[in-house]
Amino acid sequence: MEMIARNPASGVYPTSPDYIHALEVRHPSRLLFVSGTMGLDHEGMAAADLEGQLELIWSNLRAILTSADMTVDNIVRLTSYLSNGAFMEANQNARLRALNGRAVPTTAIIVETLRDDWLVEIEIIAAG
């Protein structure tokens, strides 16, 4: 499988180091679509703060990826649902740490969550 960042030099606004316009995935043999994943522990309880929830989300995502014999290196698309726009930077930093600085196509959306204690939810698409 080959992954190629697609950032046209003209006709669209420039990207930043942590952002790409598109990612071409050539010859994947399988795709994994992961539901929105929350910062919940093994008992289904949300961490008390944003940092704790982000840590749990990425731990949960790694466990889901592992169950499909994949890692975070297989992530090709990510959508974050934030309950507050002020969470953007912490979410971005957690993503960059989790992906070791690798940029993938991302979207962040400010939403009303299903429960008040759910601060962020992340869904991914992975290819292998």
Side-chain angles (χ1 to χ4, degrees):
M1 181 180 76
E2 183 179 8
M3 292 187 218
I4 304 165
R6 295 296 181 187
N7 290 314
S10 63
V12 65
Y13 54 89
T15 62
S16 60
D18 69 318
Y19 177 83
I20 59 175
H21 287 298
L23 183 67
E24 180 179 347
V25 181
R26 293 184 177 180
H27 312 293
S29 59
R30 45 196 193 110
L31 296 173
L32 180 68
F33 296 85
V34 180
S35 295
T37 303
M38 284 84 61
L40 307 178
D41 65 18
H42 294 242
E43 296 177 3
M45 300 299 296
D49 62 8
L50 179 63
E51 288 299 324
Q53 288 192 25
L54 288 166
E55 286 179 29
L56 281 171
I57 285 170
W58 283 103
S59 175
N60 293 338
L61 288 171
R62 282 189 290 277
I64 294 165
L65 287 162
T66 297
S67 75
D69 294 322
M70 294 183 175
T71 70
V72 295
D73 292 336
N74 294 97
I75 295 173
V76 297
R77 177 80 174 106
L78 184 147
T79 303
S80 299
Y81 302 93
L82 308 172
S83 64
N84 186 318
F87 299 162
M88 182 187 69
E89 186 174 353
N91 181 61
Q92 173 184 321
N93 292 340
R95 173 177 44 81
L96 290 171
R97 280 191 307 273
L99 298 180
N100 299 313
R102 186 172 65 90
V104 298
T106 63
T107 300
I109 303 169
I110 309 305
V111 299
E112 181 178 332
T113 55
L114 296 175
R115 289 183 33 177
D116 290 343
D117 58 340
W118 293 355
L119 305 178
V120 61
E121 183 174 341
I122 296 176
E123 69 179 12
I124 61 170
I125 298 173

